[in-house]
Coordinates of all heavy atoms in Angstrom, one line a residue:
M342 N 33.0 -18.5 -6.5 CA 33.9 -19.6 -6.4 C 35.2 -19.2 -7.2 O 35.1 -18.8 -8.3 CB 33.2 -20.8 -7.1 CG 34.0 -22.0 -7.2 SD 33.2 -23.5 -7.8 CE 32.9 -23.0 -9.5
S343 N 36.3 -19.3 -6.5 CA 37.6 -19.0 -7.1 C 38.4 -20.3 -7.2 O 38.3 -21.2 -6.4 CB 38.3 -18.0 -6.2 OG 38.6 -18.5 -5.0
G344 N 39.2 -20.3 -8.3 CA 40.0 -21.5 -8.5 C 39.2 -22.7 -9.0 O 38.0 -22.6 -9.4
L345 N 39.8 -23.8 -8.9 CA 39.1 -25.1 -9.3 C 38.1 -25.5 -8.2 O 38.4 -25.4 -7.0 CB 40.2 -26.2 -9.5 CG 41.1 -26.0 -10.7 CD1 42.2 -27.1 -10.7 CD2 40.3 -25.9 -12.0
P346 N 37.0 -26.1 -8.6 CA 36.1 -26.7 -7.6 C 36.7 -27.8 -6.9 O 37.5 -28.6 -7.4 CB 34.9 -27.1 -8.5 CG 35.4 -27.3 -9.9 CD 36.6 -26.3 -10.0
F347 N 36.3 -28.0 -5.7 CA 36.8 -29.1 -4.9 C 36.3 -30.5 -5.4 O 37.0 -31.5 -5.4 CB 36.3 -29.0 -3.4 CG 36.9 -29.9 -2.5 CD1 38.2 -29.9 -2.1 CD2 36.1 -30.9 -1.9 CE1 38.8 -30.8 -1.2 CE2 36.6 -31.8 -1.0 CZ 37.9 -31.8 -0.7
F348 N 35.1 -30.5 -5.9 CA 34.6 -31.8 -6.6 C 33.5 -31.4 -7.6 O 33.0 -30.3 -7.6 CB 34.0 -32.7 -5.5 CG 32.9 -32.2 -4.7 CD1 31.6 -32.4 -5.2 CD2 33.1 -31.6 -3.5 CE1 30.5 -32.0 -4.4 CE2 32.0 -31.1 -2.8 CZ 30.7 -31.3 -3.2
S349 N 33.2 -32.4 -8.4 CA 32.2 -32.2 -9.4 C 31.0 -33.2 -9.2 O 31.2 -34.3 -8.8 CB 32.7 -32.5 -10.8 OG 33.8 -31.7 -11.1
I350 N 29.8 -32.7 -9.4 CA 28.6 -33.6 -9.3 C 28.1 -33.8 -10.8 O 27.8 -32.8 -11.5 CB 27.5 -32.9 -8.5 CG1 28.1 -32.7 -7.1 CG2 26.3 -33.8 -8.5 CD1 27.2 -31.7 -6.3
I351 N 28.1 -35.0 -11.2 CA 27.6 -35.3 -12.6 C 26.2 -35.7 -12.5 O 25.8 -36.7 -11.8 CB 28.5 -36.3 -13.2 CG1 30.0 -35.8 -13.3 CG2 28.0 -36.7 -14.6 CD1 31.0 -36.8 -13.7
V352 N 25.3 -35.1 -13.3 CA 23.9 -35.4 -13.4 C 23.5 -35.8 -14.8 O 23.4 -34.9 -15.7 CB 23.1 -34.1 -12.9 CG1 21.6 -34.5 -12.9 CG2 23.5 -33.6 -11.5
P353 N 23.4 -37.1 -15.0 CA 22.9 -37.5 -16.3 C 21.4 -37.3 -16.4 O 20.7 -37.5 -15.4 CB 23.2 -39.0 -16.4 CG 23.5 -39.4 -15.0 CD 23.7 -38.2 -14.2
V354 N 20.9 -36.8 -17.5 CA 19.5 -36.5 -17.7 C 18.9 -37.1 -19.0 O 19.4 -36.8 -20.1 CB 19.2 -34.9 -17.7 CG1 17.8 -34.6 -17.9 CG2 19.7 -34.3 -16.4
Y355 N 17.9 -37.9 -18.8 CA 17.2 -38.4 -20.0 C 15.7 -38.7 -19.5 O 15.5 -39.5 -18.6 CB 17.7 -39.7 -20.5 CG 16.9 -40.3 -21.6 CD1 16.9 -39.7 -22.9 CD2 16.1 -41.4 -21.4 CE1 16.1 -40.2 -23.9 CE2 15.3 -41.9 -22.5 CZ 15.3 -41.3 -23.7 OH 14.5 -41.8 -24.7
N356 N 14.8 -37.9 -20.0 CA 13.4 -38.0 -19.6 C 13.2 -37.9 -18.1 O 12.5 -38.8 -17.6 CB 12.8 -39.2 -20.2 CG 12.6 -39.1 -21.7 OD1 12.6 -38.0 -22.3 ND2 12.3 -40.2 -22.4
K357 N 13.8 -37.0 -17.5 CA 13.6 -36.8 -16.0 C 13.1 -35.4 -15.7 O 13.4 -34.8 -14.7 CB 14.9 -37.0 -15.3 CG 15.5 -38.3 -15.5 CD 14.6 -39.4 -14.9 CE 15.3 -40.7 -15.0 NZ 14.4 -41.8 -14.9
G358 N 12.3 -34.8 -16.7 CA 11.8 -33.5 -16.5 C 11.1 -33.2 -15.2 O 11.2 -32.1 -14.6
I359 N 10.3 -34.2 -14.7 CA 9.6 -33.9 -13.4 C 10.5 -34.0 -12.2 O 10.1 -33.5 -11.1 CB 8.4 -34.9 -13.3 CG1 8.9 -36.4 -13.2 CG2 7.4 -34.8 -14.4 CD1 7.8 -37.4 -12.9
Y360 N 11.7 -34.5 -12.3 CA 12.6 -34.6 -11.2 C 13.8 -33.6 -11.2 O 14.4 -33.3 -10.2 CB 13.2 -36.0 -11.1 CG 12.2 -37.1 -11.0 CD1 12.0 -37.9 -12.1 CD2 11.4 -37.2 -9.9 CE1 11.0 -38.9 -12.1 CE2 10.4 -38.2 -9.9 CZ 10.2 -39.1 -11.0 OH 9.3 -40.0 -10.9
V361 N 14.2 -33.2 -12.4 CA 15.5 -32.6 -12.6 C 15.6 -31.2 -11.9 O 16.6 -30.9 -11.3 CB 16.0 -32.5 -14.1 CG1 15.1 -31.5 -14.8 CG2 17.4 -32.2 -14.2
N362 N 14.6 -30.4 -11.9 CA 14.6 -29.1 -11.3 C 14.8 -29.3 -9.8 O 15.6 -28.6 -9.2 CB 13.3 -28.4 -11.5 CG 13.3 -27.0 -11.0 OD1 13.4 -26.7 -9.8 ND2 13.2 -26.0 -12.0
R363 N 14.1 -30.2 -9.2 CA 14.2 -30.4 -7.7 C 15.6 -30.9 -7.4 O 16.2 -30.6 -6.4 CB 13.1 -31.4 -7.3 CG 13.1 -31.6 -5.8 CD 12.0 -32.5 -5.4 NE 12.0 -32.8 -4.0 CZ 11.3 -33.7 -3.3 NH1 10.3 -34.3 -4.0 NH2 11.4 -33.9 -2.1
S364 N 16.1 -31.8 -8.2 CA 17.5 -32.4 -8.0 C 18.6 -31.3 -8.0 O 19.4 -31.2 -7.1 CB 17.8 -33.5 -9.0 OG 16.9 -34.5 -8.9
I365 N 18.5 -30.5 -9.0 CA 19.6 -29.5 -9.2 C 19.4 -28.4 -8.1 O 20.4 -28.0 -7.5 CB 19.5 -28.9 -10.6 CG1 19.9 -30.0 -11.6 CG2 20.5 -27.7 -10.7 CD1 19.6 -29.6 -13.1
T366 N 18.2 -28.0 -7.8 CA 18.0 -27.0 -6.8 C 18.5 -27.5 -5.4 O 19.1 -26.8 -4.6 CB 16.5 -26.7 -6.7 OG1 16.0 -26.2 -7.9 CG2 16.2 -25.7 -5.6
S367 N 18.3 -28.8 -5.1 CA 18.8 -29.4 -3.9 C 20.3 -29.3 -3.8 O 20.8 -29.0 -2.8 CB 18.3 -30.9 -3.8 OG 18.9 -31.5 -2.7
I368 N 20.9 -29.6 -4.9 CA 22.4 -29.5 -5.0 C 22.9 -28.1 -4.7 O 23.8 -27.8 -3.9 CB 23.0 -30.0 -6.3 CG1 22.6 -31.5 -6.5 CG2 24.5 -29.8 -6.4 CD1 22.9 -32.0 -7.9
L369 N 22.2 -27.1 -5.4 CA 22.6 -25.7 -5.3 C 22.4 -25.2 -3.9 O 23.0 -24.2 -3.5 CB 21.9 -24.9 -6.3 CG 22.3 -25.1 -7.7 CD1 21.4 -24.4 -8.7 CD2 23.7 -24.6 -8.0
N370 N 21.4 -25.8 -3.1 CA 21.1 -25.3 -1.8 C 22.0 -25.8 -0.7 O 21.8 -25.5 0.5 CB 19.6 -25.6 -1.5 CG 18.7 -24.7 -2.2 OD1 19.0 -23.6 -2.6 ND2 17.5 -25.2 -2.4
Q371 N 23.0 -26.6 -1.0 CA 23.9 -27.1 0.0 C 24.7 -26.0 0.6 O 25.0 -25.0 -0.1 CB 24.8 -28.1 -0.6 CG 24.1 -29.3 -1.2 CD 23.3 -30.1 -0.1 OE1 23.8 -30.4 0.9 NE2 22.0 -30.3 -0.5
T372 N 25.2 -26.1 1.8 CA 25.9 -25.0 2.5 C 27.4 -25.0 2.0 O 28.0 -23.9 1.9 CB 25.9 -25.2 4.0 OG1 26.4 -26.5 4.3 CG2 24.5 -25.0 4.6
F373 N 27.9 -26.2 1.6 CA 29.3 -26.2 1.0 C 29.1 -25.8 -0.5 O 28.3 -26.3 -1.2 CB 29.8 -27.6 1.1 CG 31.3 -27.7 0.6 CD1 32.3 -27.4 1.4 CD2 31.5 -28.1 -0.7 CE1 33.6 -27.4 1.0 CE2 32.8 -28.2 -1.1 CZ 33.9 -27.9 -0.3
K374 N 29.9 -24.8 -0.9 CA 29.7 -24.2 -2.2 C 30.8 -24.4 -3.2 O 30.7 -24.0 -4.4 CB 29.4 -22.7 -2.1 CG 28.2 -22.3 -1.3 CD 26.9 -22.7 -2.0 CE 25.7 -22.3 -1.2 NZ 24.5 -22.8 -1.8
N375 N 31.9 -25.0 -2.8 CA 33.0 -25.2 -3.7 C 32.9 -26.5 -4.6 O 33.6 -27.4 -4.4 CB 34.3 -25.2 -3.0 CG 35.5 -25.1 -3.8 OD1 35.4 -24.8 -5.0 ND2 36.7 -25.4 -3.3
F376 N 31.9 -26.5 -5.5 CA 31.7 -27.6 -6.3 C 31.2 -27.1 -7.7 O 30.8 -25.9 -7.8 CB 30.7 -28.6 -5.7 CG 29.3 -28.0 -5.5 CD1 28.4 -27.9 -6.5 CD2 29.0 -27.5 -4.2 CE1 27.1 -27.4 -6.3 CE2 27.7 -26.9 -4.0 CZ 26.8 -26.9 -5.1
E377 N 31.2 -28.0 -8.7 CA 30.5 -27.7 -9.9 C 29.5 -28.8 -10.2 O 29.7 -29.9 -9.8 CB 31.6 -27.6 -11.1 CG 32.2 -28.9 -11.4 CD 33.2 -28.8 -12.6 OE1 33.2 -27.8 -13.3 OE2 34.0 -29.7 -12.7
I378 N 28.5 -28.4 -11.0 CA 27.5 -29.4 -11.4 C 27.7 -29.6 -12.9 O 27.7 -28.6 -13.7 CB 26.1 -28.9 -11.1 CG1 25.9 -28.7 -9.6 CG2 25.1 -29.9 -11.6 CD1 24.6 -28.0 -9.3
I379 N 27.9 -30.8 -13.4 CA 28.0 -31.1 -14.8 C 26.8 -31.9 -15.2 O 26.6 -33.0 -14.7 CB 29.3 -31.9 -15.1 CG1 30.5 -31.1 -14.7 CG2 29.4 -32.3 -16.5 CD1 31.8 -31.9 -14.7
I380 N 26.0 -31.3 -16.0 CA 24.7 -31.9 -16.5 C 24.9 -32.4 -17.9 O 25.3 -31.7 -18.8 CB 23.6 -30.9 -16.4 CG1 23.4 -30.3 -15.0 CG2 22.3 -31.6 -16.9 CD1 22.5 -29.2 -14.9
I381 N 24.7 -33.7 -18.1 CA 24.8 -34.3 -19.4 C 23.4 -34.7 -19.9 O 22.7 -35.5 -19.3 CB 25.6 -35.6 -19.4 CG1 27.0 -35.4 -18.7 CG2 25.8 -36.2 -20.8 CD1 27.9 -34.5 -19.3
C382 N 22.9 -34.0 -20.9 CA 21.6 -34.2 -21.4 C 21.6 -35.0 -22.7 O 22.2 -34.7 -23.7 CB 20.9 -32.8 -21.8 SG 20.7 -31.7 -20.4
D383 N 20.9 -36.2 -22.5 CA 20.7 -37.0 -23.7 C 19.4 -36.4 -24.4 O 18.7 -35.7 -23.7 CB 20.4 -38.5 -23.3 CG 21.7 -39.2 -23.1 OD1 22.8 -38.7 -23.5 OD2 21.7 -40.4 -22.7
P384 N 19.1 -36.7 -25.6 CA 18.0 -36.1 -26.3 C 16.7 -36.6 -25.8 O 16.1 -37.6 -26.3 CB 18.2 -36.5 -27.8 CG 19.1 -37.7 -27.8 CD 19.9 -37.5 -26.5
S385 N 16.1 -36.0 -24.8 CA 14.9 -36.4 -24.1 C 13.7 -36.1 -24.9 O 13.7 -35.3 -25.8 CB 14.8 -35.7 -22.8 OG 15.8 -36.0 -21.9
T386 N 12.6 -36.9 -24.7 CA 11.4 -36.6 -25.4 C 10.3 -35.9 -24.5 O 9.2 -35.8 -24.9 CB 10.8 -38.0 -25.9 OG1 10.6 -38.9 -24.7 CG2 11.7 -38.6 -26.9
D387 N 10.8 -35.5 -23.3 CA 9.9 -34.8 -22.4 C 10.4 -33.4 -22.3 O 11.2 -32.9 -23.1 CB 9.7 -35.5 -21.0 CG 11.0 -35.5 -20.2 OD1 12.1 -35.1 -20.7 OD2 10.9 -36.0 -19.1
N388 N 10.2 -32.7 -21.2 CA 10.6 -31.3 -21.0 C 11.9 -31.2 -20.2 O 12.2 -30.1 -19.7 CB 9.5 -30.5 -20.3 CG 9.3 -30.9 -18.9 OD1 9.5 -32.1 -18.5 ND2 8.9 -30.0 -18.0
S389 N 12.7 -32.2 -20.2 CA 14.0 -32.2 -19.4 C 14.9 -31.1 -19.8 O 15.5 -30.4 -19.0 CB 14.7 -33.5 -19.6 OG 14.0 -34.6 -19.1
I390 N 15.1 -30.9 -21.1 CA 16.0 -29.9 -21.6 C 15.6 -28.5 -21.2 O 16.4 -27.7 -20.7 CB 16.1 -29.9 -23.2 CG1 16.6 -31.3 -23.6 CG2 17.0 -28.8 -23.7 CD1 18.0 -31.7 -23.2
E391 N 14.3 -28.2 -21.3 CA 13.8 -26.9 -20.8 C 14.0 -26.7 -19.3 O 14.4 -25.6 -18.9 CB 12.3 -26.8 -21.1 CG 11.9 -26.7 -22.6 CD 11.9 -28.0 -23.3 OE1 12.0 -29.1 -22.6 OE2 11.7 -28.0 -24.5
E392 N 13.8 -27.7 -18.5 CA 14.1 -27.6 -17.1 C 15.6 -27.4 -16.8 O 15.9 -26.6 -16.0 CB 13.6 -28.9 -16.4 CG 12.1 -29.0 -16.3 CD 11.4 -27.9 -15.6 OE1 11.9 -27.5 -14.5 OE2 10.4 -27.4 -16.1
V393 N 16.4 -28.1 -17.5 CA 17.9 -28.0 -17.3 C 18.3 -26.6 -17.7 O 19.1 -25.9 -17.0 CB 18.6 -29.1 -18.1 CG1 20.1 -28.7 -18.2 CG2 18.4 -30.4 -17.5
N394 N 17.8 -26.1 -18.8 CA 18.2 -24.7 -19.3 C 17.9 -23.6 -18.3 O 18.6 -22.6 -18.4 CB 17.6 -24.5 -20.7 CG 18.2 -25.2 -21.8 OD1 19.4 -25.7 -21.7 ND2 17.5 -25.4 -22.8
K395 N 17.0 -23.8 -17.4 CA 16.7 -22.8 -16.3 C 18.0 -22.5 -15.5 O 18.1 -21.5 -14.8 CB 15.6 -23.3 -15.5 CG 14.3 -23.3 -16.2 CD 13.2 -23.9 -15.3 CE 11.8 -23.9 -16.0 NZ 10.8 -24.5 -15.2
F396 N 18.9 -23.5 -15.5 CA 20.1 -23.3 -14.6 C 21.4 -22.9 -15.4 O 22.5 -22.9 -14.9 CB 20.4 -24.7 -13.9 CG 19.3 -25.1 -13.0 CD1 18.3 -25.9 -13.4 CD2 19.2 -24.5 -11.7 CE1 17.2 -26.3 -12.6 CE2 18.2 -24.9 -10.9 CZ 17.2 -25.8 -11.3
S397 N 21.2 -22.6 -16.7 CA 22.3 -22.3 -17.5 C 23.1 -21.0 -17.1 O 24.3 -20.8 -17.5 CB 21.9 -22.1 -19.0 OG 21.0 -21.1 -19.2
S398 N 22.5 -20.1 -16.4 CA 23.1 -18.9 -16.0 C 24.0 -19.0 -14.7 O 24.7 -18.1 -14.3 CB 22.1 -17.7 -15.8 OG 21.2 -18.0 -14.8
Y399 N 23.8 -20.2 -14.0 CA 24.6 -20.4 -12.8 C 26.1 -20.6 -13.2 O 26.4 -21.4 -14.0 CB 24.1 -21.6 -12.0 CG 22.8 -21.3 -11.3 CD1 21.6 -21.3 -12.0 CD2 22.7 -21.0 -10.0 CE1 20.4 -21.0 -11.4 CE2 21.5 -20.8 -9.3 CZ 20.3 -20.8 -10.1 OH 19.1 -20.5 -9.4
Q400 N 27.0 -19.9 -12.4 CA 28.4 -20.0 -12.7 C 29.0 -21.4 -12.5 O 29.9 -21.7 -13.2 CB 29.1 -19.0 -11.8 CG 30.6 -18.8 -12.1 CD 31.2 -17.7 -11.3 OE1 30.6 -17.2 -10.4 NE2 32.5 -17.5 -11.6
N401 N 28.5 -22.1 -11.6 CA 29.0 -23.4 -11.3 C 28.3 -24.6 -11.9 O 28.5 -25.7 -11.6 CB 29.1 -23.6 -9.8 CG 27.8 -23.6 -9.1 OD1 26.9 -23.0 -9.6 ND2 27.7 -24.2 -7.9
V402 N 27.5 -24.3 -12.9 CA 26.7 -25.3 -13.7 C 27.2 -25.4 -15.1 O 27.3 -24.3 -15.8 CB 25.2 -25.0 -13.6 CG1 24.4 -26.0 -14.5 CG2 24.7 -25.1 -12.2
R403 N 27.6 -26.6 -15.5 CA 28.0 -26.8 -16.9 C 27.0 -27.7 -17.5 O 26.7 -28.8 -16.9 CB 29.4 -27.4 -17.0 CG 30.5 -26.8 -16.1 CD 31.1 -25.6 -16.7 NE 32.2 -25.1 -15.9 CZ 32.0 -24.1 -15.0 NH1 30.8 -23.6 -14.8 NH2 33.0 -23.7 -14.2
I404 N 26.5 -27.4 -18.7 CA 25.5 -28.3 -19.4 C 26.1 -28.7 -20.7 O 26.6 -27.9 -21.5 CB 24.2 -27.5 -19.6 CG1 23.7 -26.9 -18.3 CG2 23.2 -28.4 -20.3 CD1 22.5 -26.0 -18.4
Y405 N 26.0 -30.0 -20.9 CA 26.5 -30.6 -22.2 C 25.3 -31.4 -22.8 O 24.6 -32.0 -22.1 CB 27.7 -31.6 -21.9 CG 28.9 -30.9 -21.4 CD1 29.1 -30.8 -20.0 CD2 29.8 -30.3 -22.2 CE1 30.2 -30.2 -19.5 CE2 30.9 -29.6 -21.7 CZ 31.1 -29.6 -20.4 OH 32.2 -28.9 -19.8
Y406 N 25.2 -31.2 -24.1 CA 24.1 -31.9 -24.8 C 24.6 -32.9 -25.8 O 25.5 -32.7 -26.5 CB 23.3 -30.8 -25.6 CG 22.8 -29.7 -24.8 CD1 23.5 -28.5 -24.6 CD2 21.5 -29.8 -24.1 CE1 23.0 -27.5 -23.8 CE2 21.1 -28.8 -23.4 CZ 21.8 -27.6 -23.2 OH 21.3 -26.6 -22.4
R407 N 24.1 -34.1 -25.7 CA 24.5 -35.2 -26.6 C 23.4 -35.3 -27.7 O 22.2 -35.1 -27.5 CB 24.5 -36.5 -25.8 CG 25.6 -36.6 -24.8 CD 25.5 -37.7 -23.9 NE 25.2 -39.0 -24.5 CZ 26.0 -40.0 -24.7 NH1 27.3 -39.9 -24.3 NH2 25.6 -41.1 -25.2
N408 N 23.9 -35.6 -28.9 CA 23.0 -35.7 -30.1 C 22.3 -37.0 -30.1 O 21.2 -37.1 -30.7 CB 23.7 -35.4 -31.4 CG 24.2 -34.0 -31.5 OD1 23.6 -33.1 -31.0 ND2 25.4 -33.8 -32.0
E409 N 22.9 -38.0 -29.6 CA 22.3 -39.4 -29.6 C 22.2 -39.9 -28.2 O 23.1 -39.6 -27.4 CB 23.2 -40.3 -30.4 CG 23.3 -40.0 -31.9 CD 24.2 -41.0 -32.6 OE1 24.4 -42.1 -32.1 OE2 24.7 -40.6 -33.7
R410 N 21.1 -40.6 -28.0 CA 20.9 -41.1 -26.6 C 22.0 -42.2 -26.3 O 22.3 -43.0 -27.1 CB 19.5 -41.8 -26.6 CG 19.2 -42.3 -25.2 CD 17.8 -42.8 -25.1 NE 17.5 -43.3 -23.8 CZ 17.6 -44.6 -23.4 NH1 17.8 -45.5 -24.3 NH2 17.4 -44.9 -22.2
G411 N 22.6 -42.0 -25.1 CA 23.6 -43.0 -24.7 C 23.0 -44.2 -24.1 O 21.8 -44.3 -23.9
P412 N 23.8 -45.3 -23.9 CA 23.3 -46.5 -23.3 C 22.9 -46.5 -21.8 O 22.5 -47.5 -21.3 CB 24.4 -47.5 -23.6 CG 25.6 -46.7 -23.7 CD 25.2 -45.3 -24.2
G413 N 23.1 -45.4 -21.2 CA 22.7 -45.3 -19.8 C 23.5 -44.2 -19.0 O 24.3 -43.5 -19.6
G414 N 23.2 -44.1 -17.7 CA 23.9 -43.1 -16.9 C 25.4 -43.2 -16.9 O 26.1 -42.2 -16.9
Y415 N 25.9 -44.4 -16.9 CA 27.3 -44.6 -16.9 C 28.0 -43.9 -18.1 O 29.1 -43.4 -18.0 CB 27.7 -46.1 -16.8 CG 27.5 -46.8 -18.0 CD1 28.6 -47.0 -19.0 CD2 26.3 -47.5 -18.3 CE1 28.4 -47.6 -20.2 CE2 26.1 -48.2 -19.5 CZ 27.2 -48.3 -20.4 OH 27.0 -48.9 -21.6
A416 N 27.3 -44.0 -19.3 CA 27.9 -43.4 -20.5 C 27.9 -41.9 -20.4 O 28.9 -41.3 -20.8 CB 27.1 -43.9 -21.7
S417 N 26.9 -41.3 -19.8 CA 26.9 -39.9 -19.6 C 28.1 -39.5 -18.6 O 28.7 -38.5 -18.8 CB 25.6 -39.4 -19.0 OG 24.6 -39.6 -19.9
R418 N 28.3 -40.2 -17.6 CA 29.3 -39.9 -16.6 C 30.7 -40.1 -17.3 O 31.6 -39.3 -17.0 CB 29.2 -40.8 -15.4 CG 28.0 -40.4 -14.5 CD 28.0 -41.2 -13.2 NE 27.6 -42.5 -13.4 CZ 26.3 -42.9 -13.5 NH1 25.3 -42.0 -13.4 NH2 26.0 -44.2 -13.6
N419 N 30.9 -41.0 -18.2 CA 32.1 -41.2 -18.9 C 32.3 -40.1 -19.9 O 33.5 -39.7 -20.3 CB 32.2 -42.5 -19.6 CG 32.4 -43.7 -18.6 OD1 32.8 -43.5 -17.5 ND2 31.9 -44.9 -19.0
Y420 N 31.2 -39.5 -20.5 CA 31.3 -38.5 -21.5 C 32.0 -37.3 -20.9 O 32.8 -36.6 -21.4 CB 29.9 -38.1 -21.9 CG 29.8 -37.0 -22.9 CD1 30.1 -37.2 -24.2 CD2 29.4 -35.7 -22.5 CE1 30.0 -36.2 -25.2 CE2 29.2 -34.7 -23.5 CZ 29.6 -34.9 -24.8 OH 29.5 -33.9 -25.7

């Protein structure tokens, strides 16, 4: 991917360990590739962080970790 991505996909994550791998893999498997994935991790109590960290080496994936749980998905998207 060269230059700025055409669009960003924001994925808020809180206790979604059983879904997050499938969700991110689905995004990465799209034929259009000029995008970035921004993952906002609230402090989950399940294995969400471990699942998200599997994608940390992808060039178009950005992962941000929050220290305190936000009030919902909208707060992560605003972050």
